[in-house]
Structure formats: C-alpha cells, structure tokens
Amino acid sequence: MKSASLFAPFQLGGQELANRVVMAPMTRTRTSPGDVPNELMAKYYGQRASAGLIISEATDVAPHSKGYLWTPGIYNDEQVRGWKLVTDSVHRNGGKIFQQIWHVGRMSHTSLMPDGQQPWGVTDEQAVGSDVFAHGSDGRLTFVRASKPRQIGTEEMPALLDDFERAFRNAGEAGFDGIELHAANGYLFEQFMNSTLNTRTDHYGGQNFENRTRFLLEVVDLAAGIFGAGRIGIRLSPFGHYNSIPADPHGEDTFFYLCRELDRRGVGYIHLLYQLLPSGNMEQVTRFEETNLPDAFVKKVREEFRGGIIWCGSFSRESAEQALATGMVDMIAFGRPFVGNPDLVARFKNNWPLVEADRSAYYTRNGEIGFTDFPNFNPHSAEVD
Ligand SMILES: Cc1cc2nc3c(=O)[nH]c(=O)nc-3n(C[C@H](O)[C@H](O)[C@H](O)COP(=O)(O)O)c2cc1C
C-alpha cells in the first residue's frame, strides 16, 4: 500500500489539507460567560493554523449535553458569532477547522445540567467510579462523581436529533469546514454502542448492533445533509474503558458494522484513539502501560473503510512517520504537542526542538497564560554550538 509523508497534502471531502499533521481536539476552558468562544480562542486556533486540519475542542450541542465547566456551545447565535471569530482566524492563516461535537450523556453532574436535572443516559445506570469537573457540595469547583442519570425516553429521541441538526446548521453558519462527532471515550454515542451498558428494549438498544449504532448513524446522516458526508469525521475509541465504559463482548462486531455503514455513506474519516485508554484523565495516556490497537484490527479497519483514517495518542514525529509508512493510516493527530508548539508542523519539518507545556495550564481560566503565550520557534535566536 502506498504511504505518504507527514508533509504531503491530503484530500478530504473535496478540500485539500496542506499536510497530514492534525491538531487533536482539546478542551481548554477559555470560553466567555454563556459558553461563548471569544477573540482569545480565535488567536489560539489561528496560531495553530499550519496544521493540515484543526479539530476544535469538544462543543456542546445543547445545554443538556454539558459535562465539564466552561466548554463552548454551538446552540445559540452568540456562540455562532464567537465561533466565526475562530474560523475566520484559522482561514486567514491558511488552515482548515472541523468542529468536534459532543453530548456527554451520563458523564455529567446535576450542578452542570439545566435546572439541576439528572444527566441524560442511555439507561439510568450511573458511571460509578468516574468523575466530572463541576461544583462540589460546598459550591467550590472540583472533581465530583458523575450523577445518576435518567434514561432518555424513546419519545425524546426526535428532539435530541433536532438538537444535533441545529448544531450542524450553526456550525455551517459559523464557517466550519466540517464536523467531527465525538463517539469515543464513554460519552453518549459510545454509551449507546456498548452492548453491556445499552440494555434498552426500544429500537436504539439491545443485543443488536443495528439498533445500538442507530443513534450515531442518524446523527451522521443529519450532519451529512448539511456538510456532505466527505466533511464528516467520527472519533472512536475501540477497546477503551475510559468513563466507566464496560467490556463489550460484541464491541468488534459493532465497530466493523459501523465502519461498513460509514463507508457506504462516504464519510470523510474515522479518527481512532490508537492507544488503549483504560481509565483516568483523557490525556494521560502515557502514564499507563502503552498498549496499541492490535495490528489485525487496524488492518481490518483499512479493509472495511475507504475514507481517511487518523490515529492519535502519544505520537512523535518519528513514530508518526513510521505509522504512515505502514499504509494503515492517512493522518496523525497530535494533542499535547500542539499546546506548547503552535508551529508544530514547522518544528517537525525542520527538526527544531519541542516545548513541553505544563499540564497545570491545560484547563485554567488564566487567559493568555499557558494558552496563547507560546511563541513560534525562532531559528535566528536559537543557540548554535
Ligand atoms: C488538554 C486536553 C484536552 C482534551 N480535550 C479533548 C476533547 O475535547 N475531545 C477529545 O476527543 N479529546 C480530548 N483530549 C484528548 C486528545 O485529543 C488526545 O487524544 C490525547 O491528548 C492523546 O494525544 P497526544 O498524546 O498527542 O496528546 C484532550 C487532551 C488534552 C491534553
């Protein structure tokens, strides 16, 4: 199979990406009140526009999809205006940006939900053992146990789908080049797909993978109706157990059925979390024993799905190039390296050193600090020995 360099262009949904270095979605909590994106975020994304593709931080489809404080939304006009600042900034700097859309499902807390209601779950089973960032009982901000959810009623599904459709229209209006659905890491789409968790008896549940993937595929179709299927990506974390996702004896069958359905629709890409993520914080992959997706599995993904494939998780320039050389993957996404290196592509290209950003800056409200204050590498001021 033909392999390409990290710096070769890639065709995605009728648009050319300048290279195969993708900026992974990263929640950075710098929104303005009302979950509105702002000039500071526009600056941050604009600084990173030399990535072939930027995937935005996870964005709420509706107030009831929220699971972390200060994540942005895409459900009202003010948010659309805020995101327009972001997409304009990226486009002015020659980049492309997809919006990552999520619904956290049961991974929320009553203090984050509208009117203090229970989080919305595929069933009413609580994510025992998993925390979300919210208000503790003393009102202070802290990690608290995800609240007990209530099962989304079958009769509520059409309105939920309408929420997604509104979000996609808004994303189009805000100038995004496409959409990535966050169907990984134990949020609502994965809650529906997991056969152990999804014990529903309606046509969205049970021991039938057509039913368990129905919600995701209905949402894919809505997004495709607005952006075209080639500009839709799906993020997935097969074998992952993050956010209390239980082991799924039908996981692989469901996953490959989904690959075939996405292929049939001409979906732009599948974004795989290449490193298995057992638990813990979503970015702390390297703290665990590193286990990658099995070779036979990634080979089969390639056979079943003809669109683009992205892998993500602890890649360096070298391991990314090795991955591309296998021919199993088309683009590599980098998360943490983009925090401290806005010019990551130029640094990779020129073998310039990388800055490692301090984790304490990831989710703060400190404005520019740890967010937009990382400079591009200046080869003229670098020491030469
Ligand atoms: C600060 C931070 C925030 C993150 N937020 C998200 C998010 O909003 N959506 C998502 O799918 N993944 C999120 N992730 C996971 C990253 O997209 C990526 O999968 C992970 O960091 C592993 O890639 P890396 O080793 O290149 O950092 C986040 C990671 C970090 C470091």
Side-chain angles (χ1 to χ4, degrees):
M1 189 163 294
K2 200 167 139 285
S3 70
S5 135
L6 257 186
F7 310 110
F10 185 74
Q11 295 296 327
L12 179 67
Q15 55 197 340
E16 180 168 288
L17 309 184
N19 56 63
R20 288 145 188 264
V21 177
V22 174
M23 176 170 156
M26 281 186 289
T27 294
R28 299 302 310 276
T29 66
R30 266 50 170 211
T31 48
S32 296
D35 302 331
V36 177
N38 49 43
E39 290 284 2
L40 183 65
M41 289 165 63
K43 181 173 173 187
Y44 162 79
Y45 283 108
Q47 288 172 335
R48 288 156 178 77
S50 56
L53 177 65
I54 294 176
I55 302 164
S56 81
E57 62 210 272
T59 304
D60 296 311
V61 283
H64 55 74
S65 77
K66 194 171 197 61
Y68 295 81
L69 284 164
W70 306 312
T71 48
I74 185 74
Y75 49 83
N76 65 36
D77 291 345
E78 207 187 344
Q79 293 162 347
V80 171
R81 280 193 294 277
W83 280 118
K84 187 97 182 68
L85 301 173
V86 172
T87 60
D88 282 348
S89 166
V90 171
H91 293 151
R92 246 191 335 270
N93 291 311
K96 303 263 187 241
I97 181 165
F98 276 31
Q99 179 157 52
Q100 191 187 52
I101 298 278
W102 74 351
H103 192 302
V104 301
R106 67 175 183 163
M107 292 312 305
S108 186
H109 186 257
T110 50
S111 70
L112 297 172
M113 293 290 292
D115 308 319
Q117 62 182 285
Q118 284 175 280
W120 295 20
V122 64
T123 63
D124 58 6
E125 191 173 327
Q126 192 171 5
V128 178
S130 291
D131 292 339
V132 298
F133 185 53
H135 299 274
S137 50
D138 57 0
R140 288 207 348 232
L141 297 178
T142 180
F143 281 93
V144 292
R145 216 19 61 102
S147 305
K148 187 168 171 54
R150 65 158 188 89
Q151 177 170 327
I152 303 170
T154 312
E155 70 291 352
E156 293 177 286
M157 294 302 286
L160 179 57
L161 292 164
D162 287 348
D163 287 337
F164 277 91
E165 191 170 24
R166 178 190 55 201
F168 301 143
R169 276 191 207 297
N170 286 344
E173 223 175 280
F176 282 98
D177 300 299
I179 287 292
E180 177 176 287
L181 297 176
H182 195 348
N185 290 349
Y187 299 112
L188 189 58
F189 291 118
E190 200 177 34
Q191 292 164 28
F192 268 90
M193 286 190 288
N194 186 283
S195 72
T196 309
L197 187 59
N198 183 353
T199 53
R200 297 172 70 98
T201 53
D202 63 3
H203 64 299
Y204 287 102
Q207 296 310 310
N208 166 332
F209 48 64
E210 284 93 343
N211 281 2
R212 291 194 309 273
T213 53
R214 187 181 310 281
F215 171 50
L216 174 57
L217 290 170
E218 285 178 347
V219 171
V220 167
D221 289 340
L222 290 174
I226 292 166
F227 281 90
R231 294 187 179 214
I232 311 301
I234 318 287
R235 193 168 220 218
L236 294 158
S237 49
F239 309 109
H241 293 298
Y242 183 68
N243 279 333
S244 305
I245 279 291
D248 181 357
H250 305 293
E252 278 194 56
D253 290 348
T254 311
F255 179 85
F256 287 117
Y257 168 75
L258 182 65
C259 285
R260 287 190 289 279
E261 286 297 312
L262 296 175
D263 181 73
R264 199 165 64 77
R265 288 166 166 81
V267 158
Y269 69 81
I270 290 179
H271 184 173
L272 286 175
L273 292 176
Y274 184 69
Q275 273 192 333
L276 307 186
L277 196 55
S279 61
N281 290 331
M282 62 183 144
E283 78 279 6
Q284 288 179 326
V285 281
T286 52
R287 299 220 178 148
F288 300 96
E289 193 186 328
E290 289 193 14
T291 323
N292 296 334
L293 292 177
D295 287 348
F297 179 86
V298 297
K299 194 158 170 268
K300 185 143 189 239
V301 179
R302 197 49 142 181
E303 284 162 14
E304 301 281 11
F305 181 74
R306 287 166 294 176
I309 295 176
I310 306 179
W311 288 351
C312 183
S314 293
F315 281 96
S316 62
R317 180 206 148 141
E318 290 72 24
S319 61
E321 288 192 325
Q322 284 162 12
L324 290 178
T326 64
M328 294 295 132
V329 57
D330 303 296
M331 294 173 272
I332 303 292
F334 299 85
R336 291 163 295 177
F338 263 111
V339 174
N341 304 281
D343 55 341
L344 188 66
V345 175
R347 291 184 191 236
F348 279 163
K349 231 182 215 167
N350 297 294
N351 271 320
W352 290 335
L354 299 190
V355 167
E356 196 169 325
D358 195 308
R359 186 174 190 276
S360 62
Y362 285 178
Y363 307 108
T364 69
R365 302 283 286 164
N366 289 344
E368 297 256 0
I369 301 165
F371 191 50
T372 51
D373 59 349
F374 293 101
N376 288 347
F377 183 75
N378 180 350
H380 305 298
S381 67
E383 277 182 27
V384 180
D385 46 29

